[in-house]
Amino acid sequence: MPLRLLILLFVALTPDLLTAQAYHAEQRTSQLVQPSTLSAQDVIDRIHNNLTVEWKEGGVDNIKAGKAAQTVSGIATTFMATLDVLKRAYAQGANMVITHEPTFYNHQDDKSFFETDDPVYLAKLKFIEEHNMVVYRFHDYWHMTRPDGIFVGVVEAFDWQKYRRADEQIFDLPETTLGELASQLSEHFNTNTLRVVGPKDMKVSTIGILPGAYGMKPQVQMIRENELDVLIVGESAEWETVEYVRDGLEAGVQKALIVMGHADSEEPGMKYCAEWLQEFIKEVPVTFVPAGNPLWSPE
């Protein structure tokens, strides 16, 4: 084909080619920037629909701050919606935070004690409101669904799946000493705030785990009704299970106790919560933002 004819053909076709390229570029851009219409209530409804237990109104699992109609740009799960967590969540594009524990310092998130002129409460609420955030608590039903969402994450974090007795919170580990076990946990979870009741050289292999704050009766019942060497808990009032174990050792009942701290013992369950949510929430990113353990011990 003569060069002159090729040039004329190219000139004739160029507008159509450019128009087609522009159209496809516009379509790609439209897909990338398409805003989410997902609301906080939509997220909550999907959580309800994916639980293995029937949802009932009441309890502590509800919105603690923000509005149900708020459009969600991203979701962050966490153990505790601290002010620092809220800031980090927002910085990465999440305006809905799903927390396991209270936002306002008491189990029911009762604000009446704080809402007059408390500077800490007001600073936190101000940040939430100014950034159109929603804080939703997911506690009771995350424990109640089967399997217990917190415990799934905890077992993964301990990496003790192969030692677990089926459908139980008991693990049969290779024999070690209480001191070695405590050291391994401290290193594995990067914490120096573990507390232990029992002799360092005590031989242990059968371990029970009750993360979080189950309370004295379930903790003592776990010790009493199972052939445990040591029970690992999140927290315990120092005058309850701690003293029961100390008196037991004096009475010849060889059971030890490791107190991990509430945050360290349950936070892995909210990491798993992000993975669970990702299965049925596709419109926006879902990530885990660790709160961490605020306690520390001097060297």
Side-chain angles (χ1 to χ4, degrees):
M1 183 180 291
L3 179 60
R4 176 183 173 81
L5 187 58
L6 278 174
I7 293 172
L8 290 172
L9 183 62
F10 176 77
V11 170
L13 292 177
T14 295
D16 290 337
L17 289 172
L18 291 175
T19 300
Q21 289 173 349
Y23 171 78
H24 289 300
E26 182 180 348
Q27 288 295 100
R28 287 195 298 272
T29 303
S30 174
Q31 291 171 5
L32 288 172
V33 301
Q34 186 68 31
S36 167
T37 58
L38 188 73
S39 72
Q41 188 60 55
D42 291 333
V43 174
I44 295 167
D45 290 342
R46 291 192 200 175
I47 288 173
H48 294 182
N49 292 337
N50 282 274
L51 294 170
T52 63
V53 290
E54 182 183 357
W55 183 271
K56 297 180 181 179
E57 294 303 321
V60 298
D61 291 18
N62 49 52
I63 291 176
K64 303 304 177 184
K67 299 177 181 178
Q70 176 65 50
T71 301
V72 175
S73 59
I75 300 168
T77 68
T78 189
F79 167 75
M80 187 80 71
T82 66
L83 183 54
D84 173 62
V85 164
L86 293 170
K87 290 178 178 179
R88 285 187 284 133
Y90 184 78
Q92 66 182 33
N95 70 335
M96 183 174 186
V97 174
I98 298 177
T99 180
H100 187 60
E101 295 299 353
T103 303
F104 298 112
Y105 323 113
N106 64 91
H107 185 60
Q108 300 294 338
D109 281 289
D110 179 6
K111 305 178 184 70
S112 60
F113 179 71
F114 302 101
E115 61 188 1
T116 51
D117 58 356
D118 187 281
V120 177
Y121 165 79
L122 292 175
K124 193 172 199 177
L125 189 63
K126 180 181 179 182
F127 184 86
I128 293 168
E129 292 177 344
E130 285 184 348
H131 295 86
N132 296 315
M133 299 187 77
V134 178
V135 181
Y136 176 76
R137 188 173 181 194
F138 189 30
H139 182 273
D140 292 357
Y141 282 88
W142 193 219
H143 279 299
M144 289 165 60
T145 200
R146 289 294 173 263
D148 178 325
I150 290 295
F151 201 73
V152 170
V154 168
V155 174
E156 289 180 358
F158 273 76
D159 197 23
W160 285 359
Q161 295 92 329
K162 63 183 177 181
Y163 302 124
R164 186 182 181 187
R165 295 184 187 176
D167 299 323
E168 293 188 47
Q169 292 173 280
I170 299 175
F171 302 79
D172 295 302
L173 276 64
E175 187 178 90
T176 185
T177 65
L178 181 60
E180 280 296 320
L181 176 63
S183 295
Q184 290 168 12
L185 293 177
S186 181
E187 182 177 351
H188 185 73
F189 288 93
N190 191 30
T191 179
N192 64 350
T193 59
L194 290 180
R195 294 184 294 169
V196 185
V197 182
K200 286 185 177 181
D201 60 355
M202 177 181 170
K203 300 293 185 182
V204 299
S205 61
T206 304
I207 317 297
I209 302 179
L210 289 179
Y214 269 76
M216 181 273 291
K217 290 183 179 179
Q219 290 172 351
V220 169
Q221 188 174 14
M222 181 80 156
I223 294 170
R224 191 171 58 198
E225 296 181 1
N226 299 278
E227 294 298 321
L228 301 180
D229 297 317
V230 56
L231 176 63
I232 299 173
V233 301
E235 65 176 90
S236 172
E238 294 183 9
W239 44 272
E240 293 183 339
T241 308
V242 170
E243 295 301 339
Y244 175 84
V245 171
R246 178 157 70 165
D247 278 352
L249 290 165
E250 184 66 23
V253 179
Q254 293 299 296
K255 312 278 188 176
L257 180 71
I258 295 178
V259 182
M260 287 189 64
H262 201 136
D264 286 330
S265 77
E266 284 199 320
E267 190 159 64
M270 292 309 288
K271 180 180 180 182
Y272 169 65
C273 182
E275 299 167 5
W276 179 73
L277 290 169
Q278 288 165 3
E279 295 175 4
F280 53 87
I281 295 178
K282 306 294 185 181
E283 297 93 328
V284 298
V286 182
T287 57
F288 167 67
V289 177
N293 184 349
L295 303 174
W296 59 275
S297 295
E299 297 295 336

